[in-house]
């Protein structure tokens, strides 16, 4: 690595760390002031309150990263312009591409870090934070974590209905299972059980009555004291989470989409969320690519106030545009992949146009 590349990279990393730390700190303070009054009224321990805000830090980093990258890009190049370092570099024959290369490389690396954070850290921290808030702070019963009454579940050509789920014992009560024909939807078999128990080998049902159908009429009835039936239902499938996609990894979310589609339901909303979980981290690289020509066009006027003001304005525009397009994709007016990546391509195109207007 050459001296100039190291110098630009170190300056950019310092500014990126400062910007990201500032945004996370502001985020923490605002969130703390908003929630602390409501939480303290429950009489919760300060240990649990501290754990709640600590487990929220990965989400704060994930949300703040694109804006921090944009602001760091504008402030770093703006500082180079104010100190005439940028002029000195260019007078020595160094191209703007070479000056910008370390910034773009670090922004791409930041995108990958945010992507890994959303895949391996945030799903776990989100579930932990929700448990801390609902159970340890607000002192709700752990059973409220689950959908417990009038449960419907479809798995291929099998439809399950249960009147009650006991999460502490992994038990379903008042269970009815239908096996239906794929084309006509008519029942082939119905099994009624008083209880289903999840064990190491799967679901085992007790006091089972099985009825076979032909042309809508019962042709045979059998009773079993216990019967194991092939069912892939897991307790996690019955969890009730507010932002369900945030509590899953990409692999789990993709599997969930396939499960919804296999059940004959529209999974457009979750497919759009799946693609947006991949596209949003690369907003960091897009923000750097957009910020470089903005900073270079500003010249010596690209000071701190310019960098902060412009990054907040562009970041706000990015968030609004992305939210609108994602919402359009979730209702099916745009293909999920197009809706997820459209904002990045729009801002990438804007950055490319600005780059073409700069003299190299």
């Amino acid at each position: 690595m050459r001296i100039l590349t190291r110098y630009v990279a170190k300056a950019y990393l310092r500014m990126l760390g400062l910007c990201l730390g500032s945004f996370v700190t502001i985020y923490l303070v605002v969130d703390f002031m908003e929630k602390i009054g409501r939480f303290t009224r429950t009489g919760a321990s300060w240990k649990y309150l501290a754990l709640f805000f600590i487990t929220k830090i990965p989400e704060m980093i994930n949300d703040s990263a694109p804006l921090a990258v944009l602001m760091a890009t504008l402030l770093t190049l703006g500082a180079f312009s104010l100190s005439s370092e940028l002029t000195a570099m260019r007078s020595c024959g160094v191209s703007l591409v070479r000056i910008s290369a370390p910034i773009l490389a670090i922004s791409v690396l930041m995108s990958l870090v945010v992507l890994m954070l959303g895949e391996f850290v945030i799903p776990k921290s989100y579930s932990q934070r929700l448990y801390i808030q609902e159970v340890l702070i607000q002192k709700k019963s752990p059973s409220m974590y689950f959908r417990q009454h009038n449960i419907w579940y479809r798995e291929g050509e099998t439809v399950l209905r249960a009147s009650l789920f006991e999460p502490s014992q992994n038990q379903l009560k008042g269970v009815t299972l239908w096996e239906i024909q794929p084309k006509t939807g008519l029942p082939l078999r119905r099994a009624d059980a008083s209880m289903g128990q999840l064990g190491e080998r799967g679901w085992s049902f007790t006091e089972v009555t099985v009825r076979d159908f032909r042309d809508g009429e019962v042709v045979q009835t059998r009773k079993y004291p216990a019967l194991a039936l092939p069912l892939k239902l897991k307790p996690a499938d019955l969890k009730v989470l507010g932002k369900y996609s945030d509590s899953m990894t990409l692999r789990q979310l993709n599997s969930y989409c396939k499960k919804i589609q296999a059940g004959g339901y529209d999974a457009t909303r979750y497919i759009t969320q799946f693609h947006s979980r991949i596209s949003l981290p690369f907003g960091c690289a897009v923000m750097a690519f957009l910020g470089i020509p903005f900073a270079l066009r500003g010249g010596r006027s690209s000071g701190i106030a310019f960098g902060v003001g412009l990054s907040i304005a562009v970041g706000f525009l990015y968030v609004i545009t992305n939210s609108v397009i994602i919402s359009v994709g979730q209702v099916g007016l745009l293909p999920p992949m197009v809706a997820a990546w459209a904002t990045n391509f729009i801002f990438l195109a804007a950055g490319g146009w600005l780059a073409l207007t700069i003299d190299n």
Side-chain angles (χ1 to χ4, degrees):
M1 187 183 291
R2 297 183 179 181
I3 295 175
L4 180 61
T5 302
R6 288 201 301 269
Y7 178 75
V8 174
K10 287 175 65 176
Y12 182 69
L13 284 172
R14 285 197 300 268
M15 191 62 72
L16 179 59
L18 178 63
C19 293
L20 188 59
S22 300
F23 281 125
V24 171
T25 301
I26 294 171
Y27 199 151
L28 269 174
V29 170
V30 172
D31 200 45
F32 178 84
M33 297 301 294
E34 179 185 354
K35 293 184 171 63
I36 192 63
R38 185 170 71 253
F39 285 172
T40 52
R41 283 195 293 270
T42 65
S45 168
W46 282 97
K47 178 180 70 175
Y48 297 144
L49 296 178
L51 286 174
F52 172 84
F53 290 106
I54 289 173
T55 54
K56 200 169 184 180
I57 289 177
E59 293 177 56
M60 296 178 181
I61 295 175
N62 184 78
D63 295 339
S64 305
L67 188 57
V69 166
L70 176 61
M71 185 175 290
T73 301
L74 292 169
L75 293 181
T76 300
L77 293 177
F80 286 163
S81 295
L82 286 175
S83 62
S84 299
E85 289 176 282
L86 190 60
T87 304
M89 293 177 193
R90 299 189 67 182
S91 65
C92 293
V94 181
S95 67
L96 292 177
V97 174
R98 184 182 166 190
I99 296 172
S100 305
I103 295 176
L104 290 174
I106 293 172
S107 67
V108 172
L109 182 62
M110 187 67 181
S111 295
L112 295 176
V113 170
V114 172
L115 182 63
M116 293 299 102
L117 194 69
E119 175 67 5
F120 298 107
V121 179
I122 291 180
K124 295 179 181 179
S125 66
Y126 180 84
S127 299
Q128 291 174 349
R129 178 170 63 83
L130 191 65
Y131 180 82
I132 292 170
Q133 177 179 340
E134 298 289 333
V135 179
L136 300 181
I137 295 179
Q138 297 183 351
K139 296 180 173 57
K140 295 180 180 179
S141 170
S143 63
M144 296 186 67
Y145 227 25
F146 294 86
R147 185 169 66 251
Q148 290 184 272
H149 301 280
N150 195 26
I151 297 164
W152 288 88
Y153 174 79
R154 181 166 180 171
E155 186 178 290
E157 308 308 327
T158 301
V159 179
L160 174 144
R161 182 194 177 278
S163 59
L164 181 67
F165 174 62
E166 290 287 355
S168 60
Q169 300 175 348
N170 285 336
Q171 288 182 350
L172 288 169
K173 297 183 179 180
V175 181
T176 302
L177 287 131
W178 286 273
E179 184 181 339
I180 60 176
Q181 295 179 3
K183 294 183 179 180
T184 64
L186 293 174
L188 291 174
R189 185 174 291 108
R190 169 176 170 167
D192 295 282
S194 62
M195 186 183 71
Q197 177 68 54
L198 178 61
E200 295 181 358
R201 297 183 179 181
W203 286 95
S204 177
F205 297 88
T206 58
E207 299 179 13
V208 184
T209 301
V210 179
R211 297 177 177 87
D212 294 323
F213 291 83
R214 183 181 301 165
D215 298 328
E217 299 291 335
V218 178
V219 296
Q220 186 179 8
T221 301
R222 292 161 292 167
K223 294 187 178 182
Y224 304 91
L227 183 65
L229 296 175
L231 191 66
K232 297 180 181 179
L233 177 68
K234 303 294 182 184
D237 295 328
L238 301 174
K239 278 189 177 180
V240 179
L241 298 177
K243 293 167 65 178
Y244 193 68
S245 65
D246 288 349
S247 68
M248 293 186 285
T249 65
L250 287 173
R251 183 180 300 178
Q252 291 170 337
L253 183 55
N254 186 44
S255 176
Y256 184 70
C257 292
K258 291 179 179 178
K259 183 182 294 186
I260 291 177
Q261 290 176 318
Y265 301 105
D266 184 14
T268 302
R269 175 188 174 190
Y270 293 102
I271 294 174
T272 305
Q273 291 177 0
F274 171 79
H275 289 293
S276 68
R277 285 273 300 274
I278 300 174
S279 65
L280 285 177
F282 289 96
C284 296
V286 173
M287 289 294 101
F289 186 78
L290 180 64
I292 289 170
F294 261 123
L296 296 178
R297 284 170 64 90
R300 296 180 64 87
S301 64
S302 302
I304 294 177
F306 174 83
V308 172
L310 183 60
S311 60
I312 292 176
V314 174
F316 181 76
L317 181 62
Y318 178 88
V319 171
I320 294 298
T321 303
N322 188 68
S323 299
V324 171
I325 295 178
I326 291 294
S327 299
V328 171
Q330 287 181 340
V331 297
L333 297 179
L334 280 176
M337 186 174 291
V338 173
W341 288 94
T343 305
N344 282 349
F345 279 111
I346 291 172
F347 280 77
L348 193 65
W353 179 81
L354 288 173
L356 293 175
T357 63
I358 299 175
D359 296 328
N360 292 322

